[in-house]
Amino acid sequence: MIIVTDPERKIRLPFSRGILTRSITLAGVDVGIAYIIATEVQKELMERKLKLVTTEEIRELTYQKLLDHGLNEAAKRYLFWRQFRKLKIPITILLGGATGVGKSTIATELAFRLGIRSVIGTDTIREVMKRIIAPELLPDLHTSSFLAWKVVSSRKSDNSPLIRGFENQVQHVSVGVSAVLERAYKEGFNTIIEGIHLVPGYIKLNENSFMYVITVKGKKDFEARFYERARYSKRSADYYLKHIDAILEIQDFIVGRAKEYGIPIINNVELESTVNAIMENIMERLMEQIDEMVKD
Ligand SMILES: Nc1ncnc2c1ncn2[C@@H]1O[C@H](COP(=O)(O)OP(=O)(O)O)[C@@H](O)[C@H]1O
Ligand SMILES: O=C(O)[C@@H](COP(=O)(O)O)OP(=O)(O)O
């Protein structure tokens, strides 16, 4: 058995092809190829008759194998994500977008790949706030975002009553979102927040906040997502399909805000490419930061 040691983190663990495969997939490598590379690394370690190997030696060997497979970009990403985890830079990822676009699915996949344990939905924050603030006080909290307009007579604005009602709910839920964000910044832990209430311009971001607006093109795609979600949750597709025009109008409003505030918009066609696009973007921005840190 090969024992892996990390003097810095004072750990000694048996070599695991599964753990190495997962960290290679973090670099955006297909899991099948990642497994092949992890197997090659294991084979080489066994041929060297090594009983004890450091994480640094595994990193170098894996990096070389990625290059041998012609995966140069993935090799760079592999080194980056390992360096990122060592640097312990606390990051917050925020995924906004209309209901049903795929935010919580993407959040779960990102959390797995980045080893982030704290993931919270704004609909959960809203549920907590609903228990504390009675409908008589804030009626818009106690309904879906696309129905809030029915219970509030909001201030005059250029927007439609639907959007004014939606903005009301966003403004109120943003109080809870900001509380979660501030705690994450103060405690210095990585967190992912996802939900329709993450609308650009409603929450304060810092240099380690990475916000994205997720979209789905058109009614057909929304329909498929609602039916897919209804297969394993109690959120009935018909309820959302009945309000599809309102949901589309809200998506347009959120996209407009994203363009106004320079927030990346990602059309969520295929989960894998959406997750990779977000990780690429985070990596690029973090690498700039790390370069700045090294320069200073
Ligand atoms: N890229 C995708 N392609 C196909 N289906 C997806 C994709 N992303 C998410 N889904 C599915 O769409 C449904 C809605 O996703 P979900 O994450 O619940 O949306 P949201 O959190 O934005 O309301 C889920 O059943 C999910 O499995
Ligand atoms: O208010 C809304 O539009 C959705 C938001 O759900 P997410 O998109 O945040 O999952 O909550 P629901 O109506 O299901 O209670």
Side-chain angles (χ1 to χ4, degrees), residues 95 97-104 121-124 126-127 130 143-147 166 169 194-197 229 235 239-240 247 250:
L95 304 175
T99 187
V101 296
K103 303 181 296 295
S104 43
T122 62
D123 48 358
T124 304
R126 183 181 60 190
E127 283 311 308
K130 279 163 67 174
T143 179
S144 291
S145 66
F146 45 84
L147 297 175
F166 171 65
Q169 186 175 107
E194 57 81 19
I196 194 168
H197 305 97
R229 182 166 70 179
R235 301 172 82 175
Y239 172 67
Y240 296 95
I247 292 168
I250 286 175

PDB file of all heavy atoms in Angstrom, residues 95 97-104 121-124 126-127 130 143-147 166 169 194-197 229 235 239-240 247 250, ligand 2:
ATOM      1  N   LEU A  95     -25.362  32.564  -7.580  1.00  0.00           N
ATOM      2  CA  LEU A  95     -26.007  32.165  -8.835  1.00  0.00           C
ATOM      3  C   LEU A  95     -27.437  32.697  -8.844  1.00  0.00           C
ATOM      4  O   LEU A  95     -28.285  32.232  -8.091  1.00  0.00           O
ATOM      5  CB  LEU A  95     -26.013  30.634  -8.962  1.00  0.00           C
ATOM      6  CG  LEU A  95     -24.639  29.935  -8.860  1.00  0.00           C
ATOM      7  CD1 LEU A  95     -24.846  28.416  -8.891  1.00  0.00           C
ATOM      8  CD2 LEU A  95     -23.706  30.371  -9.961  1.00  0.00           C
ATOM      9  N   GLY A  97     -30.956  34.084 -11.246  1.00  0.00           N
ATOM     10  CA  GLY A  97     -31.667  33.626 -12.443  1.00  0.00           C
ATOM     11  C   GLY A  97     -33.073  33.207 -12.092  1.00  0.00           C
ATOM     12  O   GLY A  97     -33.390  32.939 -10.928  1.00  0.00           O
ATOM     13  N   ALA A  98     -33.919  33.140 -13.104  1.00  0.00           N
ATOM     14  CA  ALA A  98     -35.337  32.826 -12.895  1.00  0.00           C
ATOM     15  C   ALA A  98     -35.496  31.413 -12.337  1.00  0.00           C
ATOM     16  O   ALA A  98     -34.581  30.581 -12.418  1.00  0.00           O
ATOM     17  CB  ALA A  98     -36.079  32.944 -14.226  1.00  0.00           C
ATOM     18  N   THR A  99     -36.669  31.131 -11.785  1.00  0.00           N
ATOM     19  CA  THR A  99     -36.893  29.813 -11.205  1.00  0.00           C
ATOM     20  C   THR A  99     -36.869  28.750 -12.309  1.00  0.00           C
ATOM     21  O   THR A  99     -37.381  28.970 -13.407  1.00  0.00           O
ATOM     22  CB  THR A  99     -38.241  29.779 -10.439  1.00  0.00           C
ATOM     23  OG1 THR A  99     -38.329  28.544  -9.754  1.00  0.00           O
ATOM     24  CG2 THR A  99     -39.437  29.973 -11.349  1.00  0.00           C
ATOM     25  N   GLY A 100     -36.196  27.646 -12.010  1.00  0.00           N
ATOM     26  CA  GLY A 100     -36.175  26.515 -12.938  1.00  0.00           C
ATOM     27  C   GLY A 100     -35.012  26.502 -13.911  1.00  0.00           C
ATOM     28  O   GLY A 100     -34.831  25.566 -14.680  1.00  0.00           O
ATOM     29  N   VAL A 101     -34.135  27.517 -13.888  1.00  0.00           N
ATOM     30  CA  VAL A 101     -33.037  27.556 -14.878  1.00  0.00           C
ATOM     31  C   VAL A 101     -31.902  26.586 -14.562  1.00  0.00           C
ATOM     32  O   VAL A 101     -31.077  26.289 -15.415  1.00  0.00           O
ATOM     33  CB  VAL A 101     -32.482  28.987 -15.041  1.00  0.00           C
ATOM     34  CG1 VAL A 101     -33.543  29.923 -15.616  1.00  0.00           C
ATOM     35  CG2 VAL A 101     -31.917  29.517 -13.736  1.00  0.00           C
ATOM     36  N   GLY A 102     -31.827  26.123 -13.293  1.00  0.00           N
ATOM     37  CA  GLY A 102     -30.780  25.149 -12.966  1.00  0.00           C
ATOM     38  C   GLY A 102     -29.819  25.606 -11.883  1.00  0.00           C
ATOM     39  O   GLY A 102     -28.775  25.003 -11.655  1.00  0.00           O
ATOM     40  N   LYS A 103     -30.177  26.667 -11.175  1.00  0.00           N
ATOM     41  CA  LYS A 103     -29.251  27.265 -10.193  1.00  0.00           C
ATOM     42  C   LYS A 103     -28.823  26.263  -9.116  1.00  0.00           C
ATOM     43  O   LYS A 103     -27.653  26.116  -8.818  1.00  0.00           O
ATOM     44  CB  LYS A 103     -29.907  28.473  -9.532  1.00  0.00           C
ATOM     45  CG  LYS A 103     -30.362  29.551 -10.484  1.00  0.00           C
ATOM     46  CD  LYS A 103     -30.975  30.743  -9.768  1.00  0.00           C
ATOM     47  CE  LYS A 103     -32.245  30.381  -9.028  1.00  0.00           C
ATOM     48  NZ  LYS A 103     -33.367  29.955  -9.876  1.00  0.00           N
ATOM     49  N   SER A 104     -29.808  25.585  -8.497  1.00  0.00           N
ATOM     50  CA  SER A 104     -29.410  24.716  -7.372  1.00  0.00           C
ATOM     51  C   SER A 104     -28.640  23.489  -7.868  1.00  0.00           C
ATOM     52  O   SER A 104     -27.733  23.007  -7.191  1.00  0.00           O
ATOM     53  CB  SER A 104     -30.613  24.302  -6.524  1.00  0.00           C
ATOM     54  OG  SER A 104     -31.693  23.961  -7.328  1.00  0.00           O
ATOM     55  N   GLY A 121     -29.922  28.383  -0.432  1.00  0.00           N
ATOM     56  CA  GLY A 121     -30.817  28.946  -1.445  1.00  0.00           C
ATOM     57  C   GLY A 121     -31.542  30.158  -0.877  1.00  0.00           C
ATOM     58  O   GLY A 121     -31.883  30.197   0.317  1.00  0.00           O
ATOM     59  N   THR A 122     -31.815  31.147  -1.731  1.00  0.00           N
ATOM     60  CA  THR A 122     -32.530  32.338  -1.224  1.00  0.00           C
ATOM     61  C   THR A 122     -33.977  31.991  -0.896  1.00  0.00           C
ATOM     62  O   THR A 122     -34.612  32.677  -0.090  1.00  0.00           O
ATOM     63  CB  THR A 122     -32.493  33.496  -2.245  1.00  0.00           C
ATOM     64  OG1 THR A 122     -33.158  33.080  -3.454  1.00  0.00           O
ATOM     65  CG2 THR A 122     -31.062  33.929  -2.541  1.00  0.00           C
ATOM     66  N   ASP A 123     -34.488  30.902  -1.497  1.00  0.00           N
ATOM     67  CA  ASP A 123     -35.870  30.533  -1.105  1.00  0.00           C
ATOM     68  C   ASP A 123     -35.881  29.996   0.329  1.00  0.00           C
ATOM     69  O   ASP A 123     -36.872  30.123   1.039  1.00  0.00           O
ATOM     70  CB  ASP A 123     -36.504  29.548  -2.102  1.00  0.00           C
ATOM     71  CG  ASP A 123     -35.609  28.367  -2.450  1.00  0.00           C
ATOM     72  OD1 ASP A 123     -34.476  28.317  -1.953  1.00  0.00           O
ATOM     73  OD2 ASP A 123     -36.047  27.497  -3.226  1.00  0.00           O
ATOM     74  N   THR A 124     -34.731  29.439   0.754  1.00  0.00           N
ATOM     75  CA  THR A 124     -34.634  29.005   2.167  1.00  0.00           C
ATOM     76  C   THR A 124     -34.562  30.226   3.090  1.00  0.00           C
ATOM     77  O   THR A 124     -35.215  30.285   4.134  1.00  0.00           O
ATOM     78  CB  THR A 124     -33.374  28.132   2.355  1.00  0.00           C
ATOM     79  OG1 THR A 124     -33.428  27.046   1.445  1.00  0.00           O
ATOM     80  CG2 THR A 124     -33.268  27.605   3.781  1.00  0.00           C
ATOM     81  N   ARG A 126     -35.789  33.056   2.458  1.00  0.00           N
ATOM     82  CA  ARG A 126     -37.152  33.616   2.474  1.00  0.00           C
ATOM     83  C   ARG A 126     -38.050  32.836   3.435  1.00  0.00           C
ATOM     84  O   ARG A 126     -38.829  33.417   4.192  1.00  0.00           O
ATOM     85  CB  ARG A 126     -37.746  33.576   1.054  1.00  0.00           C
ATOM     86  CG  ARG A 126     -39.126  34.182   0.932  1.00  0.00           C
ATOM     87  CD  ARG A 126     -39.672  34.081  -0.473  1.00  0.00           C
ATOM     88  NE  ARG A 126     -39.763  32.679  -0.897  1.00  0.00           N
ATOM     89  CZ  ARG A 126     -40.022  32.314  -2.146  1.00  0.00           C
ATOM     90  NH1 ARG A 126     -40.176  33.221  -3.090  1.00  0.00           N
ATOM     91  NH2 ARG A 126     -40.106  31.036  -2.470  1.00  0.00           N
ATOM     92  N   GLU A 127     -37.917  31.505   3.442  1.00  0.00           N
ATOM     93  CA  GLU A 127     -38.750  30.688   4.359  1.00  0.00           C
ATOM     94  C   GLU A 127     -38.507  31.101   5.813  1.00  0.00           C
ATOM     95  O   GLU A 127     -39.430  31.240   6.596  1.00  0.00           O
ATOM     96  CB  GLU A 127     -38.411  29.200   4.194  1.00  0.00           C
ATOM     97  CG  GLU A 127     -38.998  28.532   2.959  1.00  0.00           C
ATOM     98  CD  GLU A 127     -40.495  28.807   2.768  1.00  0.00           C
ATOM     99  OE1 GLU A 127     -41.282  28.581   3.728  1.00  0.00           O
ATOM    100  OE2 GLU A 127     -40.857  29.286   1.673  1.00  0.00           O
ATOM    101  N   LYS A 130     -40.071  34.385   6.489  1.00  0.00           N
ATOM    102  CA  LYS A 130     -41.547  34.276   6.544  1.00  0.00           C
ATOM    103  C   LYS A 130     -42.005  33.873   7.951  1.00  0.00           C
ATOM    104  O   LYS A 130     -43.050  34.264   8.421  1.00  0.00           O
ATOM    105  CB  LYS A 130     -42.031  33.209   5.535  1.00  0.00           C
ATOM    106  CG  LYS A 130     -42.125  33.713   4.116  1.00  0.00           C
ATOM    107  CD  LYS A 130     -42.184  32.573   3.113  1.00  0.00           C
ATOM    108  CE  LYS A 130     -43.448  31.737   3.195  1.00  0.00           C
ATOM    109  NZ  LYS A 130     -43.487  30.728   2.076  1.00  0.00           N
ATOM    110  N   THR A 143     -45.314  34.779  -0.766  1.00  0.00           N
ATOM    111  CA  THR A 143     -45.845  34.239  -2.021  1.00  0.00           C
ATOM    112  C   THR A 143     -44.672  34.044  -2.989  1.00  0.00           C
ATOM    113  O   THR A 143     -43.562  34.454  -2.702  1.00  0.00           O
ATOM    114  CB  THR A 143     -46.887  35.213  -2.625  1.00  0.00           C
ATOM    115  OG1 THR A 143     -47.366  34.655  -3.858  1.00  0.00           O
ATOM    116  CG2 THR A 143     -46.266  36.564  -2.930  1.00  0.00           C
ATOM    117  N   SER A 144     -44.925  33.410  -4.113  1.00  0.00           N
ATOM    118  CA  SER A 144     -43.849  33.240  -5.101  1.00  0.00           C
ATOM    119  C   SER A 144     -43.465  34.591  -5.678  1.00  0.00           C
ATOM    120  O   SER A 144     -44.297  35.520  -5.726  1.00  0.00           O
ATOM    121  CB  SER A 144     -44.317  32.309  -6.227  1.00  0.00           C
ATOM    122  OG  SER A 144     -44.453  30.998  -5.716  1.00  0.00           O
ATOM    123  N   SER A 145     -42.227  34.652  -6.174  1.00  0.00           N
ATOM    124  CA  SER A 145     -41.701  35.941  -6.659  1.00  0.00           C
ATOM    125  C   SER A 145     -42.553  36.507  -7.788  1.00  0.00           C
ATOM    126  O   SER A 145     -42.728  37.710  -7.918  1.00  0.00           O
ATOM    127  CB  SER A 145     -40.273  35.729  -7.148  1.00  0.00           C
ATOM    128  OG  SER A 145     -40.296  34.881  -8.285  1.00  0.00           O
ATOM    129  N   PHE A 146     -43.121  35.603  -8.590  1.00  0.00           N
ATOM    130  CA  PHE A 146     -43.887  36.066  -9.768  1.00  0.00           C
ATOM    131  C   PHE A 146     -45.343  36.372  -9.405  1.00  0.00           C
ATOM    132  O   PHE A 146     -46.142  36.688 -10.270  1.00  0.00           O
ATOM    133  CB  PHE A 146     -43.794  35.027 -10.899  1.00  0.00           C
ATOM    134  CG  PHE A 146     -43.997  33.611 -10.459  1.00  0.00           C
ATOM    135  CD1 PHE A 146     -45.279  33.085 -10.321  1.00  0.00           C
ATOM    136  CD2 PHE A 146     -42.905  32.799 -10.145  1.00  0.00           C
ATOM    137  CE1 PHE A 146     -45.462  31.767  -9.893  1.00  0.00           C
ATOM    138  CE2 PHE A 146     -43.082  31.482  -9.719  1.00  0.00           C
ATOM    139  CZ  PHE A 146     -44.361  30.971  -9.588  1.00  0.00           C
ATOM    140  N   LEU A 147     -45.687  36.229  -8.115  1.00  0.00           N
ATOM    141  CA  LEU A 147     -47.061  36.571  -7.678  1.00  0.00           C
ATOM    142  C   LEU A 147     -47.057  37.713  -6.667  1.00  0.00           C
ATOM    143  O   LEU A 147     -48.102  38.147  -6.197  1.00  0.00           O
ATOM    144  CB  LEU A 147     -47.742  35.335  -7.072  1.00  0.00           C
ATOM    145  CG  LEU A 147     -47.951  34.160  -8.025  1.00  0.00           C
ATOM    146  CD1 LEU A 147     -48.518  32.950  -7.287  1.00  0.00           C
ATOM    147  CD2 LEU A 147     -48.894  34.558  -9.184  1.00  0.00           C
ATOM    148  N   PHE A 166     -41.958  41.935  -7.853  1.00  0.00           N
ATOM    149  CA  PHE A 166     -40.757  41.072  -7.754  1.00  0.00           C
ATOM    150  C   PHE A 166     -39.643  41.832  -7.035  1.00  0.00           C
ATOM    151  O   PHE A 166     -39.003  41.323  -6.123  1.00  0.00           O
ATOM    152  CB  PHE A 166     -40.320  40.655  -9.159  1.00  0.00           C
ATOM    153  CG  PHE A 166     -38.995  39.945  -9.205  1.00  0.00           C
ATOM    154  CD1 PHE A 166     -38.827  38.708  -8.594  1.00  0.00           C
ATOM    155  CD2 PHE A 166     -37.902  40.519  -9.849  1.00  0.00           C
ATOM    156  CE1 PHE A 166     -37.603  38.044  -8.626  1.00  0.00           C
ATOM    157  CE2 PHE A 166     -36.673  39.868  -9.878  1.00  0.00           C
ATOM    158  CZ  PHE A 166     -36.524  38.634  -9.266  1.00  0.00           C
ATOM    159  N   GLN A 169     -40.045  41.896  -3.314  1.00  0.00           N
ATOM    160  CA  GLN A 169     -39.632  40.666  -2.627  1.00  0.00           C
ATOM    161  C   GLN A 169     -38.099  40.572  -2.616  1.00  0.00           C
ATOM    162  O   GLN A 169     -37.491  40.194  -1.600  1.00  0.00           O
ATOM    163  CB  GLN A 169     -40.235  39.428  -3.294  1.00  0.00           C
ATOM    164  CG  GLN A 169     -39.942  38.158  -2.501  1.00  0.00           C
ATOM    165  CD  GLN A 169     -40.609  36.911  -3.058  1.00  0.00           C
ATOM    166  OE1 GLN A 169     -39.932  36.061  -3.636  1.00  0.00           O
ATOM    167  NE2 GLN A 169     -41.910  36.782  -2.920  1.00  0.00           N
ATOM    168  N   GLU A 194     -27.582  30.505  -3.974  1.00  0.00           N
ATOM    169  CA  GLU A 194     -28.273  30.462  -5.271  1.00  0.00           C
ATOM    170  C   GLU A 194     -29.731  30.848  -5.054  1.00  0.00           C
ATOM    171  O   GLU A 194     -30.315  30.570  -4.013  1.00  0.00           O
ATOM    172  CB  GLU A 194     -28.158  29.072  -5.914  1.00  0.00           C
ATOM    173  CG  GLU A 194     -28.664  27.907  -5.119  1.00  0.00           C
ATOM    174  CD  GLU A 194     -30.195  27.719  -5.208  1.00  0.00           C
ATOM    175  OE1 GLU A 194     -30.829  28.243  -6.143  1.00  0.00           O
ATOM    176  OE2 GLU A 194     -30.730  27.060  -4.312  1.00  0.00           O
ATOM    177  N   GLY A 195     -30.326  31.524  -6.037  1.00  0.00           N
ATOM    178  CA  GLY A 195     -31.746  31.864  -5.906  1.00  0.00           C
ATOM    179  C   GLY A 195     -32.154  33.023  -6.790  1.00  0.00           C
ATOM    180  O   GLY A 195     -31.329  33.838  -7.209  1.00  0.00           O
ATOM    181  N   ILE A 196     -33.464  33.067  -7.023  1.00  0.00           N
ATOM    182  CA  ILE A 196     -34.024  34.086  -7.926  1.00  0.00           C
ATOM    183  C   ILE A 196     -33.850  35.493  -7.352  1.00  0.00           C
ATOM    184  O   ILE A 196     -33.881  36.485  -8.075  1.00  0.00           O
ATOM    185  CB  ILE A 196     -35.524  33.777  -8.167  1.00  0.00           C
ATOM    186  CG1 ILE A 196     -36.051  34.591  -9.357  1.00  0.00           C
ATOM    187  CG2 ILE A 196     -36.346  34.046  -6.912  1.00  0.00           C
ATOM    188  CD1 ILE A 196     -37.411  34.138  -9.840  1.00  0.00           C
ATOM    189  N   HIS A 197     -33.622  35.567  -6.037  1.00  0.00           N
ATOM    190  CA  HIS A 197     -33.532  36.895  -5.395  1.00  0.00           C
ATOM    191  C   HIS A 197     -32.156  37.516  -5.534  1.00  0.00           C
ATOM    192  O   HIS A 197     -31.925  38.641  -5.066  1.00  0.00           O
ATOM    193  CB  HIS A 197     -33.911  36.763  -3.916  1.00  0.00           C
ATOM    194  CG  HIS A 197     -35.256  36.128  -3.727  1.00  0.00           C
ATOM    195  ND1 HIS A 197     -35.385  34.769  -3.462  1.00  0.00           N
ATOM    196  CD2 HIS A 197     -36.512  36.602  -3.849  1.00  0.00           C
ATOM    197  CE1 HIS A 197     -36.676  34.472  -3.385  1.00  0.00           C
ATOM    198  NE2 HIS A 197     -37.383  35.550  -3.615  1.00  0.00           N
ATOM    199  N   ARG A 229     -37.811  18.798 -12.857  1.00  0.00           N
ATOM    200  CA  ARG A 229     -37.717  19.083 -11.411  1.00  0.00           C
ATOM    201  C   ARG A 229     -38.875  18.422 -10.662  1.00  0.00           C
ATOM    202  O   ARG A 229     -38.702  17.936  -9.551  1.00  0.00           O
ATOM    203  CB  ARG A 229     -37.740  20.603 -11.198  1.00  0.00           C
ATOM    204  CG  ARG A 229     -37.613  21.033  -9.756  1.00  0.00           C
ATOM    205  CD  ARG A 229     -37.304  22.496  -9.618  1.00  0.00           C
ATOM    206  NE  ARG A 229     -38.424  23.354 -10.001  1.00  0.00           N
ATOM    207  CZ  ARG A 229     -38.374  24.686  -9.939  1.00  0.00           C
ATOM    208  NH1 ARG A 229     -37.274  25.292  -9.558  1.00  0.00           N
ATOM    209  NH2 ARG A 229     -39.405  25.419 -10.284  1.00  0.00           N
ATOM    210  N   ARG A 235     -42.485  20.333  -6.305  1.00  0.00           N
ATOM    211  CA  ARG A 235     -42.769  21.607  -6.996  1.00  0.00           C
ATOM    212  C   ARG A 235     -43.413  21.280  -8.341  1.00  0.00           C
ATOM    213  O   ARG A 235     -42.751  20.981  -9.308  1.00  0.00           O
ATOM    214  CB  ARG A 235     -41.479  22.414  -7.154  1.00  0.00           C
ATOM    215  CG  ARG A 235     -40.829  22.718  -5.813  1.00  0.00           C
ATOM    216  CD  ARG A 235     -39.470  23.335  -5.959  1.00  0.00           C
ATOM    217  NE  ARG A 235     -39.570  24.776  -6.201  1.00  0.00           N
ATOM    218  CZ  ARG A 235     -38.488  25.566  -6.259  1.00  0.00           C
ATOM    219  NH1 ARG A 235     -37.288  25.043  -6.124  1.00  0.00           N
ATOM    220  NH2 ARG A 235     -38.605  26.857  -6.477  1.00  0.00           N
ATOM    221  N   TYR A 239     -47.824  24.403 -11.867  1.00  0.00           N
ATOM    222  CA  TYR A 239     -47.879  25.670 -11.121  1.00  0.00           C
ATOM    223  C   TYR A 239     -46.997  26.719 -11.797  1.00  0.00           C
ATOM    224  O   TYR A 239     -47.384  27.869 -11.993  1.00  0.00           O
ATOM    225  CB  TYR A 239     -47.409  25.429  -9.681  1.00  0.00           C
ATOM    226  CG  TYR A 239     -47.231  26.686  -8.859  1.00  0.00           C
ATOM    227  CD1 TYR A 239     -48.327  27.487  -8.499  1.00  0.00           C
ATOM    228  CD2 TYR A 239     -45.961  27.096  -8.460  1.00  0.00           C
ATOM    229  CE1 TYR A 239     -48.157  28.639  -7.742  1.00  0.00           C
ATOM    230  CE2 TYR A 239     -45.783  28.243  -7.708  1.00  0.00           C
ATOM    231  CZ  TYR A 239     -46.876  29.012  -7.359  1.00  0.00           C
ATOM    232  OH  TYR A 239     -46.693  30.166  -6.614  1.00  0.00           O
ATOM    233  N   TYR A 240     -45.815  26.316 -12.233  1.00  0.00           N
ATOM    234  CA  TYR A 240     -44.880  27.279 -12.837  1.00  0.00           C
ATOM    235  C   TYR A 240     -45.248  27.555 -14.294  1.00  0.00           C
ATOM    236  O   TYR A 240     -45.150  28.681 -14.765  1.00  0.00           O
ATOM    237  CB  TYR A 240     -43.440  26.747 -12.714  1.00  0.00           C
ATOM    238  CG  TYR A 240     -43.033  26.635 -11.267  1.00  0.00           C
ATOM    239  CD1 TYR A 240     -43.159  25.424 -10.577  1.00  0.00           C
ATOM    240  CD2 TYR A 240     -42.634  27.752 -10.553  1.00  0.00           C
ATOM    241  CE1 TYR A 240     -42.860  25.333  -9.226  1.00  0.00           C
ATOM    242  CE2 TYR A 240     -42.329  27.672  -9.196  1.00  0.00           C
ATOM    243  CZ  TYR A 240     -42.459  26.460  -8.543  1.00  0.00           C
ATOM    244  OH  TYR A 240     -42.180  26.387  -7.192  1.00  0.00           O
ATOM    245  N   ILE A 247     -42.626  34.443 -15.509  1.00  0.00           N
ATOM    246  CA  ILE A 247     -41.256  33.969 -15.225  1.00  0.00           C
ATOM    247  C   ILE A 247     -40.296  34.421 -16.324  1.00  0.00           C
ATOM    248  O   ILE A 247     -39.178  34.865 -16.052  1.00  0.00           O
ATOM    249  CB  ILE A 247     -41.251  32.427 -15.046  1.00  0.00           C
ATOM    250  CG1 ILE A 247     -42.010  32.067 -13.757  1.00  0.00           C
ATOM    251  CG2 ILE A 247     -39.839  31.860 -15.029  1.00  0.00           C
ATOM    252  CD1 ILE A 247     -42.323  30.586 -13.595  1.00  0.00           C
ATOM    253  N   ILE A 250     -39.615  38.069 -15.805  1.00  0.00           N
ATOM    254  CA  ILE A 250     -38.654  38.248 -14.698  1.00  0.00           C
ATOM    255  C   ILE A 250     -37.244  37.904 -15.182  1.00  0.00           C
ATOM    256  O   ILE A 250     -36.277  38.615 -14.884  1.00  0.00           O
ATOM    257  CB  ILE A 250     -39.069  37.387 -13.485  1.00  0.00           C
ATOM    258  CG1 ILE A 250     -40.289  38.019 -12.792  1.00  0.00           C
ATOM    259  CG2 ILE A 250     -37.901  37.209 -12.498  1.00  0.00           C
ATOM    260  CD1 ILE A 250     -40.871  37.211 -11.655  1.00  0.00           C
TER     261      ILE A 250
HETATM  262  O1  LIG B   2     -40.530  32.472  -5.667  1.00  0.00           O
HETATM  263  C1  LIG B   2     -40.099  31.886  -6.683  1.00  0.00           C
HETATM  264  O2  LIG B   2     -40.091  32.332  -7.850  1.00  0.00           O
HETATM  265  C2  LIG B   2     -39.461  30.516  -6.512  1.00  0.00           C
HETATM  266  C3  LIG B   2     -38.000  30.701  -6.491  1.00  0.00           C
HETATM  267  O3  LIG B   2     -37.423  29.419  -6.490  1.00  0.00           O
HETATM  268  P1  LIG B   2     -35.876  29.258  -6.892  1.00  0.00           P
HETATM  269  O4  LIG B   2     -35.739  29.634  -8.315  1.00  0.00           O
HETATM  270  O5  LIG B   2     -35.111  30.207  -6.004  1.00  0.00           O
HETATM  271  O6  LIG B   2     -35.559  27.830  -6.631  1.00  0.00           O
HETATM  272  O7  LIG B   2     -39.859  29.923  -5.282  1.00  0.00           O
HETATM  273  P2  LIG B   2     -41.272  29.151  -5.189  1.00  0.00           P
HETATM  274  O8  LIG B   2     -42.265  29.882  -6.021  1.00  0.00           O
HETATM  275  O9  LIG B   2     -40.999  27.790  -5.724  1.00  0.00           O
HETATM  276  O10 LIG B   2     -41.604  29.169  -3.736  1.00  0.00           O
END
